[in-house]
Amino acid sequence: MPSRKKTTMFASAFCSCVCSFVLVCVVLGTQQWVSSQVRFARTNTSVTISLDYGLFQGTCGQFVEAGLEVSQKTFQVADSLSSTKTRSTNIAIIVILVLSLLTALLSSGFTCTNTVSNPYQTFLGPIGVYTWNSVCGILILLAMILFPVNIEAHGLSEELAQGCSTSLQKHISSKHSYGYSYWLMLLILLLNIASVIIIYFYDHARYSKKKEHERPIENAPKDVILF
């Protein structure tokens, strides 16, 4: 059976990993990733398309120059994308988050195993926790980078706005505000870092204690050496 200290440390890391897993599910399932205001020119007037969307679904509303709402509808992101860049990047983000979900699940399993037992295989111990939490953190960071790139560089909001209305002529301006679904990924990243730090402190304390029990012979008392 594991010691009380090990159980406490790995139980804390387990809670962190489970929270990370749940938050990845929330991020994938919600559409509050970004809110965009995209303005287009139309004959004798201007039109502003208001967008709120995530990786799979979103809503858009059309406003004329006076501020009157003309229409509002729900759309599927994949069906509204025609550009190869925006479509492939959106799919890549989804795949990355699914992989991070799997790594968070593995991290939860490894920390849970070490909470209730002492596995013999080295990789099932702290090394495995380091590995899967690091991979999960890297994937989350990559998703956080790719999503703004898809919006700012590839014009994702402008492309979705054009699918929400007709007779749009010239793009004038765009404003973007990232929602809680996007910023939750930062919390997931912090949770993964916290898990690694917790296990590191446990592993470092265990290593230090082991070294104390393996002192070199020159540090032993002289009477012990003579004996």
Side-chain angles (χ1 to χ4, degrees):
M1 291 295 293
S3 64
R4 180 176 297 179
K5 183 177 181 180
K6 180 181 180 181
T7 299
T8 302
M9 299 292 279
F10 274 92
S12 301
F14 171 71
C15 292
S16 180
C17 293
V18 170
C19 289
S20 177
F21 175 81
V22 172
L23 288 176
V24 176
C25 294
V26 172
V27 167
L28 280 168
T30 55
Q31 67 179 44
Q32 304 301 322
W33 278 66
V34 65
S35 297
S36 298
Q37 301 288 330
V38 187
R39 193 179 176 197
F40 290 91
R42 185 184 280 178
T43 306
N44 300 325
T45 187
S46 65
V47 177
T48 300
I49 306 296
S50 177
L51 300 163
D52 293 291
Y53 63 92
L55 298 175
F56 300 99
Q57 190 175 344
T59 58
C60 62
Q62 181 179 336
F63 300 85
V64 296
E65 190 173 24
L68 178 65
E69 183 178 357
V70 177
S71 62
Q72 187 170 6
K73 64 179 181 179
T74 302
F75 62 90
Q76 299 297 321
V77 173
D79 297 337
S80 303
L81 297 179
S82 56
S83 171
T84 304
K85 286 184 178 180
T86 54
R87 181 186 291 272
S88 59
T89 305
N90 193 66
I91 293 173
I93 295 171
I94 294 172
V95 172
I96 287 171
L97 287 177
V98 171
L99 291 176
S100 68
L101 188 68
L102 295 176
T103 55
L105 183 62
L106 286 170
S107 298
S108 301
F110 275 47
T111 51
C112 181
T113 301
N114 283 272
T115 301
V116 299
S117 65
N118 290 314
Y120 293 103
Q121 291 84 354
T122 305
F123 190 73
L124 293 179
I127 295 177
V129 178
Y130 293 150
T131 301
W132 295 119
N133 277 279
S134 299
V135 172
C136 184
I138 292 171
L139 291 172
I140 291 296
L141 183 61
L142 187 58
M144 290 190 72
I145 295 171
L146 285 178
F147 188 72
V149 167
N150 208 20
I151 293 176
E152 305 292 344
H154 299 164
L156 176 61
S157 293
E158 290 79 1
E159 186 175 345
L160 293 174
Q162 290 175 349
C164 291
S165 182
T166 57
S167 304
L168 299 177
Q169 296 176 353
K170 182 181 178 181
H171 173 244
I172 300 175
S173 62
S174 298
K175 293 181 180 179
H176 311 291
S177 176
Y178 296 96
Y180 70 86
S181 298
Y182 176 80
W183 294 114
L184 277 177
M185 289 193 291
L186 182 59
L187 179 57
I188 296 170
L189 184 61
L190 294 176
L191 286 171
N192 280 279
I193 294 173
S195 299
V196 171
I197 291 174
I198 290 171
I199 303 305
Y200 171 79
F201 277 119
Y202 163 76
D203 202 27
H204 181 71
R206 186 187 65 170
Y207 179 78
S208 300
K209 188 175 181 180
K210 183 179 179 180
K211 282 298 181 182
E212 288 179 1
H213 289 292
E214 297 176 355
R215 292 183 302 174
I217 192 169
E218 59 266 19
N219 293 333
K222 291 183 178 180
D223 54 344
V224 176
I225 296 175
L226 291 173
F227 177 79

